[in-house]
């Protein structure tokens, strides 16, 4: 798909140049987006389409701004001033792209890079002016068997490039994490950014209000207290010290990564059995969590062994929330929520906020995607994707 979009854009640019028109405009971006959406309308909701077109819109909008054009325009000046001006222009374009892509990355991947534009100030000139010429010289001299010195210099330049990359990646500001957010918040951010980028008058800055408000909500939103996978096998709990603990210690790396990213957690997920407030047997775990000014009692199944109905009914009666990857009997009646296999088949994975007593499910009652089994009905009193 990205290759097709690039091909369409290249053809439009060549056509515009052939007609003597300024091809790098927002009309080009709109035409390319229109062609893609006519052929593949489902691409609109994908991160690839959103991020690629958002980056291009940001670059074209910045390039069309009179102040930026004046700043980067060629002029008669000293070499160092020209280099500084070019670096400042590169930094501005990098920051524009990162700021536009950050909300999209946070919504789809729950993380966004923030120092890429700074790293590019070194990486792009180093790659363009040092690494690529050295590789070309090494390949040329390899014809006579004399390319070894140039390959050695290329390796040292790549070592410097990796040093910059690792230095930026190790910074605490390199990546911003955020828990999963609702589509309404993401939609307001997109509308606000498009308002800023497409308008030309002073009204364009009004789009910053919804963007700023929604980004503040995203960055200030706490991690959910409980995350439950769609099959009920994997449960992650937020600990008192801000960490996360997994129900199954042998959960695979993929399950752990999904749980951590969905919660906006950057750290190791410890085993639930190590928590002082957890009491676990090979088949059940009872955990006591605090949230919303009170304590919540959780009961979690962690094996496929059948549990006596009388014992299960007794334990469920003392629990506020019960989570299981099996279908629990009717005798299991917790005080607040029973998330068993039958319930999760209707709601999908769950994110539970104990501070506000709110639950958000992965499925919606009006979901029409053909690869998702449509929920027959949501629990009584709940609508859409919000319980």
């Amino acid at each position: 798909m990205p290759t097709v979009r690039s091909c369409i854009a290249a053809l439009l640019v060549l056509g515009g140049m052939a007609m003597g028109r300024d091809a790098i405009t927002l009309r080009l971006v709109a035409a390319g987006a229109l062609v893609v959406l006519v052929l593949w309308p489902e691409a609109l909701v994908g991160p690839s389409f959103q991020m690629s077109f958002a980056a291009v819109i940001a670059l074209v909008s910045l390039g069309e701004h009179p102040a930026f054009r004046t700043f980067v325009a060629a002029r008669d000046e000293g070499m160092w001033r020209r280099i500084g001006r070019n670096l400042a222009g590169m930094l501005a374009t990098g920051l524009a792209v990162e700021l536009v892509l950050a909300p999209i990355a946070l919504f789809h991947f729950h993380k966004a890079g923030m120092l890429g534009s700074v790293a590019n100030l070194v990486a792009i000139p180093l790659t363009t002016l040092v690494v690529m010429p050295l590789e070309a010289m090494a390949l040329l001299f390899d014809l006579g068997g004399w390319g070894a010195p140039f390959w050695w210099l290329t390796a040292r330049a790549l070592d410097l490039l990796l040093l910059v990359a690792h230095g930026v990646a190790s910074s605490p500001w390199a990546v911003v994490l955020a828990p999963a957010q609702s589509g309404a918040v993401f939609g307001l951010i997109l509308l606000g950014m498009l308002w800023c980028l497409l308008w030309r008058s002073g009204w364009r800055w009004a789009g910053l209000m919804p963007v700023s408000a929604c980004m503040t909500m995203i960055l200030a939103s706490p991690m959910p207290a409980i995350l439950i996978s769609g099959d009920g096998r994997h449960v992650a709990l937020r600990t008192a010290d801000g960490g996360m603990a997994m129900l199954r210690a042998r959960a695979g790396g993929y399950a752990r990564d999904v749980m951590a990213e969905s919660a906006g957690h950057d750290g190791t997920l410890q085993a639930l059995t190590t928590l002082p407030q957890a009491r676990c047997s090979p088949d059940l775990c009872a955990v006591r969590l605090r949230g919303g000014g009170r304590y919540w009692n959780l009961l979690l199944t962690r094996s496929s062994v059948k549990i006596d109905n009388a014992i299960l009914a007794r334990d469920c009666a003392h629990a506020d929330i019960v989570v299981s990857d099996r279908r629990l009997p009717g005798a299991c009646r917790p005080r607040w929520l029973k998330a068993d296999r039958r319930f999760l088949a209707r709601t999908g994975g769950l994110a539970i906020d104990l501070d506000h007593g709110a639950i958000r499910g992965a499925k919606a009652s009006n979901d029409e995607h053909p690869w998702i089994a449509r929920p027959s009905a949501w629990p009584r009193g709940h609508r859409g994707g919000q319980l």
Side-chain angles (χ1 to χ4, degrees), residues 102-169:
I104 303 175
L106 287 175
F107 178 76
H108 288 287
F109 310 114
H110 315 300
K111 62 174 64 176
M114 302 304 295
L115 297 181
S117 57
V118 177
N120 285 338
L121 290 179
V122 178
I124 292 178
L126 180 62
T127 303
T128 304
L129 303 177
V130 180
V131 175
M132 298 304 293
L134 284 175
E135 288 182 346
M137 294 295 292
L139 291 171
L140 178 63
F141 278 87
D142 265 349
L143 297 175
W146 305 318
F150 295 98
W151 286 121
W152 184 87
L153 292 173
T154 302
R156 302 291 76 77
L158 291 175
D159 288 340
L160 179 58
L161 188 64
L162 292 174
L163 180 65
V164 172
H166 289 303
V168 171

Side-chain angles (χ1 to χ4, degrees), residues 72-289:
V72 299
R75 65 197 70 186
D76 187 13
E77 59 183 353
M79 180 184 66
W80 292 111
R81 288 180 62 86
R82 183 168 65 254
I83 293 175
R85 191 181 303 278
N86 290 334
L87 291 176
M90 186 187 305
L91 179 62
T93 55
L95 285 175
V97 171
E98 284 192 354
L99 290 175
V100 169
L101 295 186
I104 303 175
L106 287 175
F107 178 76
H108 288 287
F109 310 114
H110 315 300
K111 62 174 64 176
M114 302 304 295
L115 297 181
S117 57
V118 177
N120 285 338
L121 290 179
V122 178
I124 292 178
L126 180 62
T127 303
T128 304
L129 303 177
V130 180
V131 175
M132 298 304 293
L134 284 175
E135 288 182 346
M137 294 295 292
L139 291 171
L140 178 63
F141 278 87
D142 265 349
L143 297 175
W146 305 318
F150 295 98
W151 286 121
W152 184 87
L153 292 173
T154 302
R156 302 291 76 77
L158 291 175
D159 288 340
L160 179 58
L161 188 64
L162 292 174
L163 180 65
V164 172
H166 289 303
V168 171
S170 62
S171 170
W173 300 98
V175 177
V176 174
L177 300 174
Q181 301 294 322
S182 67
V185 173
F186 180 58
L188 285 175
I189 292 177
L190 290 185
L191 289 176
M193 291 195 302
L194 287 174
W195 185 281
C196 292
L197 294 173
L198 299 182
W199 278 83
R200 289 292 177 265
S201 64
W203 282 100
R204 69 188 306 172
W205 305 117
L208 291 178
M209 291 189 292
V211 173
S212 301
C214 292
M215 285 301 296
T216 302
M217 290 174 56
I218 291 176
L219 297 177
S221 58
M223 292 190 300
I226 306 171
L227 283 174
I228 306 171
S229 64
D231 58 4
R233 283 183 53 81
H234 302 293
V235 180
L237 307 180
R238 186 180 65 193
T239 60
D241 59 0
M244 296 289 289
M246 287 282 289
L247 171 64
R248 299 177 185 268
R250 296 184 179 181
Y254 176 76
R256 290 176 173 273
D257 291 342
V258 169
M259 288 291 187
E261 290 179 3
S262 298
H265 175 65
D266 185 18
T268 304
L269 276 70
Q270 61 188 108
L272 182 61
T273 54
T274 62
L275 298 182
Q277 66 270 34
R279 295 178 292 108
C280 295
S281 70
D283 305 316
L284 292 171
C285 263
V287 189
R288 188 175 174 86
L289 295 181

